[in-house]
């Protein structure tokens, strides 16, 4: 058990926070970092010389779980105390602790408010008993509008109700969101940051275990999101990436299922923000009004991250999802009618139980007509606790591999062709990095990490000075080349310059 003195002074203690998995986990890590920083910990992302390595694990699919295990073992080899948190830790709890003695503790989301005390206990050699996993959907009321104020811990949703030691302002739960300190400590200084719209999911997709360990769907209030967006902008963020398990459900538990349509223009109007990007859109919930808002609002990327998963109607029904090739093409067409150059990406699962050659042919037809900018292809595997794990009609592993290899090659070819369609077009590129004279950024259709990038090259005969560009600058550029999904472009105009650091000059 954790003793009463486990929250002793942490001054000078160093914790390394390693984050695996999705952007939602990154936001959760920055909440943990804020809690630890407020309690006197030195927070870093470098395990060298750390007293504790806190690994925010991913538990989505088998490969992600294996990566998490390997990261925990590698951290243990450094001699530091190792603590597992995040999705895999929440999903397996005591089972993970029993199978991984190298970890000093395996924590639940419920431990996050007391994270400093938990790490102190580990350093003191005390036993932190791992939790027995439970279905977190059962912790919140069934009716979405009754979920707020329940007191259930939802990572990435907390706000500080008091200023850290030394501050003059004391706040409580009744203080307006814009007056509360943001419970977030940035772990990098780049011009892009994720903003968590909501957590959890109410859908019951047959292949997905996430709702069981992330819980039911809970939106964050708009005023809280706007306050955090303003705070992020003051730290130098220029692009906000809105993340959740299902962004199209945003607001349904706040009494307004169209709230995202109203929020997007407000976020785009935040001083310093030049681009807002919505991600994790559920096709069955993507209403015409939301399509129009994303496609036509200044400052909002005309970018559609749509979770199709397949296009054969029989497979989608077995997945407990809705749609078809025709309906998905119609959705994409409605977006491109409003914004012809709109970006679109999706993920797909190959080899789902019962999938036939005809289903694969239907998926090939959809991919060939959809003109997607980026495609994530996954080979199906049974996941603990999912309905699909018990379904009949399992596809042989050799067949899954063959189909996966075929469709992955097709996806690469089609995405390269889509990039080539952009030759000669004008794109707005947000500069991400400048390293050794190489300027890398992303156009509107390129989300961070997953959708390729744009390399800016020096113009011939003058124009924008490439050497003067810095991360956070937004430039207009002409596409002159492609390398797979990546673009090469010549900057023609500086649209918006990032704020100069104090004491510097452009």
């Amino acid at each position: 058990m954790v003793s009463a003195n486990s929250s002793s002074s942490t001054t000078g203690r160093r914790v390394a926070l390693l984050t695996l998995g999705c952007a939602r986990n990154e936001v959760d890590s920055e909440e943990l970092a804020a809690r630890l920083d407020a309690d006197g910990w030195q927070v870093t992302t470098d395990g060298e010389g750390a007293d504790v390595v806190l690994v925010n694990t991913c538990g989505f699919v088998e490969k992600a779980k294996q990566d998490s295990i390997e990261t925990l073992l590698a951290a243990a080899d450094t001699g530091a105390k190792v603590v597992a948190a995040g999705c895999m830790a929440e999903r397996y709890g005591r089972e993970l602790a029993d199978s991984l003695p190298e970890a000093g503790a395996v924590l639940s989301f419920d431990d996050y408010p007391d994270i400093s005390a938990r790490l102190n206990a580990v350093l003191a050699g005390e036993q932190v008993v791992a939790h027995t996993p439970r279905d977190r959907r059962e912790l919140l009321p069934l009716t979405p509008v009754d979920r707020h104020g329940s007191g259930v811990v939802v990572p990435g949703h907390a706000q500080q109700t008091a200023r850290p030691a030394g501050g003059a302002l004391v706040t409580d739960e009744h203080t307006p969101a814009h007056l509360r300190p943001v419970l977030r400590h940035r772990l990098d200084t780049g011009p892009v940051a994720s903003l968590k719209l909501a957590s959890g999911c109410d859908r019951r997709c047959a292949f997905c275990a996430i709702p069981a360990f992330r819980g039911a769907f809970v939106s964050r209030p708009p005023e809280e999101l706007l306050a955090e967006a303003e705070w992020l902008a003051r730290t130098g963020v220029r692009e906000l990436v809105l993340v959740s398990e299902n962004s199209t459900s945003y607001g349904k538990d706040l009494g307004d299922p169209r709230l995202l349509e109203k929020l997007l223009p407000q976020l785009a109007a935040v001083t310093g923000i030049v681009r807002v990007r919505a991600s994790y859109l559920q096709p069955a919930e993507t209403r015409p009004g939301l399509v129009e808002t994303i496609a036509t609002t200044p400052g909002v990327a005309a970018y559609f991250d749509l979770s199709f998963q397949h296009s054969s109607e029989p497979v989608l029904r077995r997945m407990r999802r809705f749609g078809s090739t025709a309906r998905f093409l119609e959705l994409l067409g409605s977006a491109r009618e409003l914004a012809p150059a709109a970006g679109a990406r999706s993920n797909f699962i190959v080899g789902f139980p019962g999938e036939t050659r005809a289903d694969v042919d239907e998926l090939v037809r959809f991919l060939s007509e959809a003109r997607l900018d980026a495609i994530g292809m996954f080979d199906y595997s049974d996941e603990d606790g999912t309905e699909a794990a018990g379904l009949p009609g399992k596809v042989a592993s050799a067949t899954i591999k063959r189909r996966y290899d075929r469709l992955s090659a097709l996806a690469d070819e089609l995405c390269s062709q889509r990039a080539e369609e952009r030759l000669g077009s004008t794109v707005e590129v947000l500069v991400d990095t400048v390293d050794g004279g190489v300027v890398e950024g992303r156009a509107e259709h390129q989300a961070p990490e997953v959708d390729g990038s744009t390399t800016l090259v020096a113009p011939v005969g003058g124009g924008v000075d490439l050497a003067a560009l810095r991360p956070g600058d937004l430039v207009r550029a002409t596409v002159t080349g492609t390398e797979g999904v990546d673009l090469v472009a010549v900057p023609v105009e500086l649209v918006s310059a990032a704020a100069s650091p104090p004491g510097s000059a452009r």
Side-chain angles (χ1 to χ4, degrees):
M1 292 184 61
V2 180
S3 68
N5 64 4
S6 62
S7 59
S8 58
S9 174
T10 60
T11 303
R13 287 184 171 175
R14 193 164 183 264
V15 55
L17 241 170
L18 307 183
T19 307
L20 303 175
C22 66
R24 302 184 294 274
N25 256 15
E26 294 172 5
V27 177
D28 296 350
S29 286
E30 294 194 346
E31 178 195 310
L32 291 171
R35 294 185 184 279
L36 292 164
D37 178 71
D39 206 33
W41 289 81
Q42 296 178 22
V43 183
T44 179
T45 56
D46 181 3
E48 186 70 28
D51 297 293
V52 182
V53 177
L54 177 59
V55 181
N56 189 351
T57 61
C58 178
F60 180 39
V61 293
E62 190 58 40
K63 184 180 186 303
K65 289 183 282 188
Q66 189 59 42
D67 288 345
S68 294
I69 293 292
E70 291 174 0
T71 300
L72 288 162
L73 292 175
D77 288 342
T78 68
K81 297 288 187 180
V82 177
V83 174
C87 291
M88 185 179 179
E90 176 64 42
R91 185 176 181 182
Y92 293 102
R94 186 170 298 176
E95 179 185 346
L96 178 61
D98 291 344
S99 63
L100 195 73
E102 292 85 354
V106 173
L107 303 182
S108 167
F109 295 148
D110 294 328
D111 291 307
Y112 283 21
D114 301 310
I115 187 65
S116 183
R118 299 294 182 270
L119 298 194
N120 276 323
V122 170
L123 283 178
E126 301 172 27
Q127 181 183 9
V128 179
V129 178
H131 61 286
T132 299
R134 53 185 172 173
D135 190 332
R136 293 190 73 87
R137 290 171 293 193
E138 299 173 357
L139 302 181
L140 289 165
L142 185 63
T143 305
V145 294
D146 293 334
R147 291 172 185 167
H148 288 266
S150 65
V152 173
V153 174
V154 182
H157 285 230
Q159 279 196 306
Q160 288 183 189
T161 55
R163 182 156 290 178
L169 177 67
V170 176
T171 65
D172 60 24
E173 67 274 15
H174 303 296
T175 306
H178 70 279
L179 295 179
R180 297 186 198 177
V182 172
L183 188 59
R184 185 164 180 175
H185 176 90
R186 293 200 69 199
L187 294 172
D188 66 56
T189 58
V192 183
S194 296
L195 181 64
K196 182 176 276 193
L197 285 175
S199 283
C201 186
D202 289 340
R203 302 189 72 87
R204 295 293 184 268
C205 300
F207 55 81
C208 185
I210 289 175
F213 58 83
R214 274 290 183 178
F217 185 87
V218 183
S219 301
R220 296 178 66 193
E223 60 273 17
E224 187 176 304
L225 292 166
L226 288 165
E228 187 168 325
E230 291 168 357
W231 178 84
L232 287 167
R234 291 195 295 272
T235 71
V237 170
R238 303 275 278 162
E239 177 178 329
L240 299 171
V241 181
L242 309 186
V243 299
S244 70
E245 273 74 27
N246 178 8
S247 297
T248 38
S249 282
Y250 178 70
K252 72 174 187 179
D253 51 327
L254 299 175
D256 187 354
R258 299 184 181 276
L259 200 51
L260 183 56
E261 297 165 36
K262 301 172 184 177
L263 178 65
L264 283 167
Q266 292 176 289
L267 290 171
V270 170
T271 301
I273 299 300
V274 295
R275 181 185 288 163
V276 179
R277 183 186 303 278
S279 60
Y280 303 103
L281 305 177
Q282 168 60 239
E285 298 177 19
T286 305
R287 299 170 300 276
L290 180 58
V291 172
E292 182 177 359
T293 298
I294 293 174
T296 65
T297 304
V300 175
Y303 172 82
F304 293 85
D305 176 15
L306 293 157
S307 177
F308 291 131
Q309 302 302 343
H310 213 284
S311 73
S312 170
E313 201 163 1
V315 174
L316 289 166
R317 283 201 300 269
R318 286 194 295 276
M319 288 180 169
R320 295 198 179 276
R321 295 175 68 85
F322 304 95
S324 64
T325 293
R327 290 171 67 179
F328 291 163
L329 290 175
E330 182 181 359
L331 176 57
L332 290 168
S334 68
R336 289 168 176 150
E337 187 174 334
L338 295 166
R345 81 165 331 271
S346 191
N347 295 322
F348 300 88
I349 298 173
V350 180
F352 190 79
E355 183 188 66
T356 66
R357 283 181 289 182
D359 295 324
V360 175
D361 290 342
E362 183 66 3
L363 179 54
V364 168
R365 184 171 80 86
F366 171 71
L367 293 174
S368 300
E369 296 182 30
R371 296 170 59 231
L372 298 174
D373 293 277
I375 298 170
M377 199 65 65
F378 294 87
D379 49 341
Y380 172 81
S381 62
D382 288 337
E383 284 298 318
D384 300 333
T386 63
E387 180 186 354
L391 287 178
K394 290 289 193 294
V395 180
S397 57
T399 302
I400 292 177
K401 183 179 186 308
R402 187 167 60 251
R403 291 176 181 176
Y404 171 80
D405 290 345
R406 174 194 172 193
L407 288 174
S408 294
L410 176 64
D412 289 345
E413 179 184 349
L414 292 172
C415 290
S416 295
Q417 290 175 5
R418 177 62 176 147
E420 290 171 1
E421 291 178 22
R422 297 187 183 275
L423 284 168
S425 68
T426 300
V427 294
E428 289 194 349
V429 178
L430 182 76
V431 176
D432 282 332
T433 60
V434 179
D435 186 10
V438 178
V439 181
E440 289 281 335
R442 289 169 299 100
E444 263 191 281
H445 69 281
Q446 296 171 321
E449 307 292 340
V450 293
D451 292 347
S453 64
T454 299
T455 301
L456 296 177
V457 295
V460 177
V464 175
D465 182 5
L466 206 64
L469 292 177
R470 292 187 295 104
D473 286 344
L474 183 68
V475 301
R476 190 167 289 116
T478 301
V479 180
T480 59
T482 66
E483 297 176 8
V485 297
D486 299 326
L487 303 182
V488 178
V490 175
V492 296
E493 180 185 2
L494 179 63
V495 177
S496 177
S500 299
S504 69
R506 292 289 292 192

